Amino acid sequence: MTDQMIAPVRPETVDVDAAIGILKERFPDAVKDDTREGYVGVVVERSQLVEVATAIRDELGFDYLSSATAVDYLGIEDSMEMVYHAYRISGGKPLVFKAQTPRENSSIPSLIDIWPGVDFQEREAYDLYGISFPGHPNQKRILMWEGFNGHPMRKDWKEAYYEAELKPFESRWPKGYVRRSEELNIFGKNVAYPADFDLSRLSDDTEASLYAGMGLGVDVEALNSDEELKTDRLVVNLGPHHPSTHGVFRMVVTLNGETIETLEPVMGYLHRNHEKIGERNAWNHNMPFTDRLDYISSMSNNLGYALAVEQLMSRGMRYTPPTYRAEVIRVLMVELTRIVNHLWAIGFLLNDLGAFFTPALYAIAEREKILDFFEATAGSRLMCNYMRFGGVFKDIPERIRSTANLLNDKVRDFETTQYLTQLITETLPRAVDELDTFLTDSEIIKTRTIGVGYLPTETAIAYSAAGPLLRGSGVAYDVRRAEPYSIYPELDFDVAVRYNGDIYDRYLLRIDEMRESLRILKQILPRLERTKGESFFSGNKAVYMPRVAIGEAYGRVENPKGELGYYVVSQGDPKGPQNPWRYHVRAPSFINLTVLGQMCKGQKVADVVAILGSIDIVLGETDR
Amino acid sequence: MYGVGILKGLGVTIRHFFNTYVEDLRYVGKKLNNTQEFERRQGVDSTGLYTVQYPEEKIAVPERFRFVPFLVVEDDDHPERPGHDWCTSCGICPKVCPPQCIWIVRSEDPVTKRPIPEPEAFFIDIDICMNCGLCAEYCPFDAIKMDHDYELADYDRTGIGVHIHDKEKLSKPFSYWRKIAPTTAWEEAVDRGGWEHIDVIKQKQKSGAPIAKPGPTWDSPYVPPIVPVKEEAPAAETAQAGGEAVGTAAEAAPVEMSAEDAAKEERRKKREAALARKHAKEQGGEG
Ligand code: SF4
Ligand code: SF4
């Protein structure tokens, strides 16, 4: 005790403000406070970014880079910047640092040597913003195809269906010029091209550049001359249309015999530029769009976005935080979502191991009942669109009932509290136990998963892995505890953690997490009872175009698949309808894939599918 | 020991297999097309696996289920304004719609060029509509509602009136909304202070005409007629009784009550509801 008091404060334990102070002292020329209204953190001179980042990681202890993304300030500062959110793996607030670059010939040094987890994120910034990252070994487009014209997230880039800069569009009311939006497409009905359009000019060298680095055309004889068994080196494409890839996702692997030498994920097949849509949208327009990210856990996607925007709103006037009942309902929904997601993930892991669909269907049988509840409350099973800024869409219904309607005269009717209580205290625990009994000791599962897809702790942190992937590798990092939100501080639960970092541990971890979620849900039930009849929304529900204070915010939640973050910037003019200036999604599925190549190296080709299944990705979120 | 895992796994399959057929045997012949059975099979206690035999059999959707919106219009037998739009073309829903798939042409008075509170044309592109429900949520006139009819497939997707629903295709009577979403319709009516469109209610309040008010609880068998029939004494009476009940409930709500008072209030409401039920039954018996 006395020792500690005498010893000087260790920089890796000081809080964020003090850390920034230390940083400014060390780099007086390179590090400046970000003084813009509503902004936090520091702006780093880009020529010294690498040194500063190294200090942030090694000296100040911010070892986990959660998010790295670009913003285009065209018309405001006429520059672009990269925004980094670095956290400590022990928890706490982020150190936000930014590096600015002019829009022309923009370049920012790559941080890949410090945090390998920025790999895909920098490629994304290169792809969508055209910022180049000297030092990045594989700077290629990632979501768009090689040869795509322009960088779509730049503010001056316009999409084919472009109508106006911001929604709501003028043409909708009071003179509604109705037409099909396909007519806005410059290619007409998708088949006719403009007269001067030369198809042969379109080139796509993606494939060539992809394969070139993967050892095609290598002389096998010379390469394997010492080995007893002569093996050929082969490039194999898994996907994009492959049942094991959970969507349209492709892995290009080089095999030496059956062993994987390199693996490169190829994605973007489902890319729709979610973020560009998000920046055309007004604030509340985005809520239903977030459903479409991780479409298995739309409730928690909603919550992340609501938290980010509420952070911004709380800085303005006339903001009341969500009511207690709203928070209780939110936690109820997101924890049910976690169970839904993990049931699904475990079911599909079995699928990936070769037990086709039968176990998956058993695993998701109980999920159906949760979805019924979602449907009765939010109106939809998957696309819930349930959270609002300041609360939720509607209170939980008194009865879960399907009354006579035009399609079917058959009636279902449950008392909601009873239904939920039974679900949470009986049905779901039984389902989890059942999975546990039948799967955990199954020797097939054990042989296929133990020791496979090993991810060491340090690698997991360095690669910004999140969620079950991180916790399965022995890091007890859970946003619900590391930087608590909603009513999690008053709830009693443990962060599940497993230490072996293989597929089996990730599976066990999901079982643990479902149990912890059930523990939380059991504490939620009495709170639901107690707050019955209280308001589920704070503020004025009739406000359809909320005003959002100027500034930036990063809201993050522990999604079932990992840390989901929303980086939002508001530059709104206080009179007109307001739209986000920047809307970025830190998608856990996307960033967790960064480490896939590492995990698969040296494994057998049949294991790739299982390893991918154990990460648990969803393409709606990966490709955005 | 090797093999146990496989046996266990197969055991699960066999158990589900038999459960499914045990159910079949126990309810032989009446498993399908039977209201009680369907309910039980979809309930929390169901065992075994079953398939909903779509399209012969459809899962009933809950009230809040949302699909492409429709426009509420007055019923055809409405005495004052049959078929009149509830929409006042206020312009909120086209603004709040995330994919911007609503187009409205506002009517104008041909002479004064002042806007008339009724849309001249109203379009929703159902290919673009993402069924988010925001339009219905923010409409201040309860004029646009989410439908339950999800079977909208068509052989042709181009052209207005096919996948761009126009006003004719969108309009459905208010009684339809009450049928598919009785609770929600009731809650909204309580908020408005009567069953009718808010503008009509305001007008009637001014002129002192009787207003059809929703009953004290949404599922009480006593639901006053949408249109008060003035000639018949009993109907007018019921309308009045309903009005009273809601009046007190609405008054009581904003005032903060102690738990005791609330309990008292609750009992009183229940008693009233019971009386109303009795009343309705007597009427039915006589008729
Ligand atoms: S919000 Fe309601 S009243 Fe206003 S235009 Fe839309 S449907 Fe009509
Ligand atoms: S449901 Fe949503 S997308 Fe569809 S018309 Fe209404 S607001 Fe627009």
Side-chain angles (χ1 to χ4, degrees):
Chain A
M1 189 69 199
T2 38
D3 275 1
Q4 259 180 17
M5 277 153 71
I6 296 162
V9 189
R10 288 180 303 147
E12 63 265 34
T13 57
V14 298
D15 70 359
V16 176
D17 290 337
I20 287 177
I22 296 175
L23 209 59
K24 279 194 293 194
E25 229 165 78
R26 263 212 65 197
F27 302 95
D29 301 330
V31 177
K32 302 257 177 325
D33 274 325
D34 194 343
T35 49
R36 291 169 288 183
E37 186 192 343
Y39 283 65
V40 292
V42 290
V43 180
V44 180
E45 191 55 49
R46 63 177 159 143
S47 54
Q48 288 202 52
L49 180 66
V50 175
E51 292 89 57
V52 175
T54 315
I56 288 173
R57 185 192 66 176
D58 296 340
E59 289 165 32
L60 299 173
F62 290 87
D63 46 359
Y64 183 75
L65 189 79
S66 161
S67 140
T69 186
V71 189
D72 180 5
Y73 284 105
L74 173 69
I76 295 175
E77 292 163 12
D78 284 339
S79 66
M80 290 203 279
E81 68 183 37
M82 281 295 285
V83 185
Y84 303 89
H85 285 79
Y87 287 85
R88 287 186 176 122
I89 209 71
S90 49
K93 297 250 173 282
L95 199 161
V96 187
F97 58 103
K98 293 151 195 161
Q100 290 174 334
T101 168
R103 294 184 83 246
E104 298 305 318
N105 298 326
S106 50
S107 92
I108 285 173
S110 171
L111 294 185
I112 198 162
D113 293 332
I114 303 160
W115 286 289
V118 294
D119 184 355
F120 285 6
Q121 301 182 67
E122 284 185 345
R123 277 177 69 187
E124 187 190 325
Y126 165 71
D127 185 355
L128 303 182
Y129 282 92
I131 302 177
S132 74
F133 291 90
H136 195 292
N138 187 23
Q139 182 178 299
K140 281 190 307 198
R141 286 186 182 265
I142 188 166
L143 296 173
M144 308 305 292
W145 60 95
E146 215 66 46
F148 182 80
N149 181 22
H151 301 285
M153 279 306 288
R154 288 200 176 204
K155 285 284 174 189
D156 48 6
W157 191 92
K158 293 185 174 44
E159 63 274 23
Y161 292 84
Y162 177 80
E163 176 166 350
E165 207 55 52
L166 298 173
K167 288 176 188 175
F169 297 144
E170 293 291 316
S171 65
R172 297 302 192 270
W173 181 85
K175 295 243 176 299
Y177 304 109
V178 65
R179 54 163 158 54
R180 300 175 62 240
S181 52
E182 269 171 45
E183 287 155 27
L184 273 181
N185 188 347
I186 49 167
F187 299 141
K189 293 194 168 159
N190 285 341
V191 286
Y193 295 94
D196 59 340
F197 196 81
D198 181 9
L199 269 179
S200 62
R201 271 196 291 118
L202 278 182
S203 73
D204 183 0
D205 47 6
T206 323
E207 300 301 295
S209 75
L210 191 66
Y211 294 141
M214 302 198 98
L216 259 195
V218 176
D219 181 3
V220 184
E221 294 290 323
L223 210 91
N224 291 330
S225 55
D226 300 337
E227 288 176 25
E228 299 155 22
L229 187 67
K230 293 231 188 299
T231 51
D232 200 349
R233 196 173 287 163
L234 193 67
V235 176
V236 173
N237 277 296
L238 281 147
H241 299 286
H242 192 278
S244 71
T245 55
H246 298 207
V248 207
F249 175 68
R250 175 170 156 215
M251 291 170 283
V252 186
V253 291
T254 25
L255 297 175
N256 188 351
E258 274 230 45
T259 314
I260 287 161
E261 293 201 331
T262 54
L263 179 146
E264 185 162 334
V266 182
M267 57 192 89
Y269 298 97
L270 215 59
H271 181 59
R272 54 207 182 271
N273 219 342
H274 182 86
E275 293 176 6
K276 186 88 176 180
I277 299 173
E279 287 167 21
R280 295 244 187 273
N281 279 348
W283 289 102
N284 66 344
H285 286 160
N286 273 336
M287 193 56 84
F289 279 94
T290 63
D291 291 342
R292 276 86 177 158
L293 287 167
D294 173 359
Y295 40 78
I296 295 171
S297 2
S298 63
M299 287 282 190
S300 22
N301 298 345
N302 284 183
L303 180 59
Y305 180 59
L307 287 181
V309 179
E310 277 165 11
Q311 262 185 47
L312 277 179
M313 290 170 92
S314 67
R315 299 197 204 124
M317 293 176 306
R318 276 198 276 138
Y319 167 77
T320 33
T323 58
Y324 188 71
R325 171 132 182 116
E327 296 286 14
V328 171
I329 298 178
R330 283 173 171 193
V331 173
L332 169 79
M333 293 304 185
V334 297
E335 292 305 323
L336 283 174
T337 304
R338 199 178 310 280
I339 294 176
V340 165
N341 182 81
H342 285 352
L343 284 172
W344 189 252
I346 290 174
F348 259 79
L349 180 66
L350 269 277
N351 228 19
D352 294 339
L353 289 175
F356 246 38
F357 282 106
T358 312
L361 288 179
Y362 293 147
I364 61 173
E366 306 305 337
R367 164 180 179 264
E368 228 29 47
K369 285 163 191 164
I370 301 179
L371 294 191
D372 280 349
F373 171 61
F374 284 174
E375 191 180 25
T377 311
S380 196
R381 290 153 54 84
L382 294 182
M383 304 293 134
C384 296
N385 183 20
Y386 186 59
M387 313 285 173
R388 297 286 178 271
F389 313 134
V392 297
F393 154 59
K394 240 181 184 184
D395 209 334
I396 293 175
E398 255 170 56
R399 305 191 79 85
I400 296 179
R401 54 183 282 144
S402 306
T403 43
N405 60 37
L406 77 163
L407 294 171
N408 198 315
D409 278 333
K410 290 157 186 165
V411 174
R412 283 192 291 169
D413 194 356
F414 304 107
E415 219 277 307
T416 311
T417 324
Q418 220 178 328
Y419 184 89
L420 275 180
T421 314
Q422 191 169 2
L423 199 62
I424 290 166
T425 55
E426 286 171 38
T427 326
L428 289 176
R430 196 170 60 213
V432 177
D433 288 346
E434 202 169 76
L435 283 180
D436 198 4
T437 333
F438 290 116
L439 300 181
T440 308
D441 293 329
S442 162
E443 63 268 22
I444 298 182
I445 290 180
K446 280 183 160 176
T447 13
R448 284 295 309 275
T449 59
I450 291 182
V452 178
Y454 175 56
L455 178 65
T457 312
E458 294 73 34
T459 319
I461 299 173
Y463 273 86
S464 308
L469 194 60
L470 184 64
R471 289 191 288 275
S473 291
V475 186
Y477 188 79
D478 185 319
V479 183
R480 290 175 294 173
R481 282 288 188 240
E483 202 192 357
Y485 51 92
S486 196
I487 56 166
Y488 282 111
E490 62 169 82
L491 295 170
D492 182 25
F493 70 99
D494 296 319
V495 175
V497 60
R498 294 270 170 173
Y499 296 92
N500 294 326
D502 55 8
I503 302 181
Y504 189 61
D505 268 23
R506 275 168 230 143
Y507 151 76
L508 288 177
L509 183 103
R510 291 203 167 93
I511 298 263
D512 295 346
E513 263 186 18
M514 283 197 278
R515 296 220 164 100
E516 290 303 325
S517 286
L518 285 168
R519 204 168 135 197
I520 295 174
L521 286 169
K522 277 177 198 147
Q523 298 165 51
I524 287 293
L525 282 176
R527 286 179 168 78
L528 265 185
E529 268 312 284
R530 209 170 62 222
T531 57
K532 203 166 218 165
E534 285 174 21
S535 171
F536 57 90
F537 193 84
S538 69
N540 184 359
K541 192 108 204 317
V543 175
Y544 62 95
M545 286 284 160
R547 302 255 177 275
V548 175
I550 288 176
E552 60 168 4
Y554 184 61
R556 52 184 203 146
V557 288
E558 188 64 37
N559 233 32
K561 294 192 169 59
E563 177 187 331
L564 174 74
Y566 290 88
Y567 176 70
V568 286
V569 174
S570 167
Q571 293 285 347
D573 110 67
K575 276 178 270 135
Q578 291 201 342
N579 307 66
W581 181 264
R582 179 75 175 105
Y583 163 80
H584 171 70
V585 185
R586 184 241 188 253
S589 299
F590 177 65
I591 295 172
N592 283 352
L593 279 175
T594 321
V595 78
L596 179 67
Q598 288 283 319
M599 281 157 70
C600 291
K601 210 165 267 174
Q603 305 281 350
K604 296 277 182 275
V605 67
D607 294 329
V608 171
V609 171
I611 295 172
L612 183 70
S614 77
I615 301 182
D616 184 18
I617 60 161
V618 62
L619 272 299
E621 183 177 73
T622 309
D623 291 346
R624 281 160 297 148
Chain B
M1 202 189 79
Y2 280 97
V4 176
I6 298 182
L7 289 181
K8 263 189 187 171
L10 288 177
V12 183
T13 311
I14 288 175
R15 207 185 65 221
H16 278 97
F17 180 82
F18 280 111
N19 271 343
T20 309
Y21 291 101
V22 164
E23 291 261 302
D24 268 357
L25 287 179
R26 197 185 302 156
Y27 301 98
V28 78
K30 53 178 181 173
K31 187 164 178 179
L32 298 176
N33 302 321
N34 178 321
T35 312
Q36 261 86 44
E37 272 320 293
F38 195 75
E39 180 190 349
R40 202 187 54 74
R41 282 193 292 133
Q42 294 201 2
V44 267
D45 298 326
S46 68
T47 56
L49 298 175
Y50 65 88
T51 309
V52 177
Q53 304 290 343
Y54 185 85
E56 285 80 28
E57 188 178 66
K58 285 164 196 157
I59 296 184
V61 292
E63 254 183 56
R64 291 186 192 174
F65 177 80
R66 46 185 154 80
F67 212 69
V68 172
F70 68 93
L71 287 175
V72 178
V73 299
E74 293 291 9
D75 292 338
D76 284 339
D77 54 357
H78 192 282
E80 290 126 39
R81 33 179 246 169
H84 194 282
D85 295 315
W86 278 42
C87 172
T88 61
S89 63
C90 71
I92 287 181
C93 61
K95 286 181 196 139
V96 89
C97 171
Q100 300 279 295
C101 66
I102 304 181
W103 290 263
I104 299 176
V105 184
R106 193 172 56 189
S107 315
E108 270 174 10
D109 191 308
V111 187
T112 60
K113 296 280 180 259
R114 296 258 300 276
I116 299 171
E118 197 175 4
E120 193 177 303
F122 199 112
F123 303 96
I124 294 181
D125 188 338
I126 62 160
D127 288 338
I128 295 186
C129 172
M130 63 203 289
N131 308 322
C132 66
L134 290 185
C135 51
E137 188 177 337
Y138 288 102
C139 174
F141 297 97
D142 295 324
I144 187 164
K145 291 291 163 208
M146 299 308 283
D147 207 343
H148 288 187
D149 182 5
Y150 49 78
E151 296 176 319
L152 299 178
D154 215 312
Y155 285 106
D156 174 27
R157 66 191 175 89
T158 56
I160 294 183
V162 188
H163 270 198
I164 297 186
H165 283 189
D166 53 12
K167 203 168 135 188
E168 188 189 341
K169 207 156 179 176
L170 286 170
S171 297
K172 293 192 178 176
F174 178 59
S175 54
Y176 171 79
W177 173 238
R178 278 185 61 177
K179 192 171 137 222
I180 64 169
T183 325
T184 318
W186 175 81
E187 282 166 0
E188 288 164 359
V190 170
D191 285 346
R192 284 198 302 270
W195 278 113
E196 296 202 72
H197 189 273
I198 182 84
D199 287 349
V200 178
I201 293 173
K202 275 188 191 150
Q203 254 175 29
K204 287 194 172 173
Q205 270 167 353
K206 250 186 233 154
S207 65
I211 299 169
K213 293 206 171 174
T217 55
W218 75 273
D219 53 357
S220 96
Y222 161 60
V223 178
I226 300 174
V227 184
V229 188
K230 281 161 206 119
E231 285 80 33
E232 288 169 33
E237 214 176 281
T238 49
Q240 232 172 18
E244 249 174 50
V246 163
T248 45
E251 269 161 34
V255 187
E256 291 216 323
M257 288 187 296
S258 69
E260 227 176 80
D261 281 355
K264 241 189 233 164
E265 180 69 12
E266 196 59 50
R267 277 200 295 278
R268 195 184 59 77
K269 268 194 221 154
K270 273 196 188 138
R271 197 171 56 236
E272 268 176 13
L275 277 177
R277 255 199 305 278
K278 194 165 157 241
H279 186 66
K281 217 184 251 167
E282 278 169 5
Q283 269 192 338
E286 278 161 24

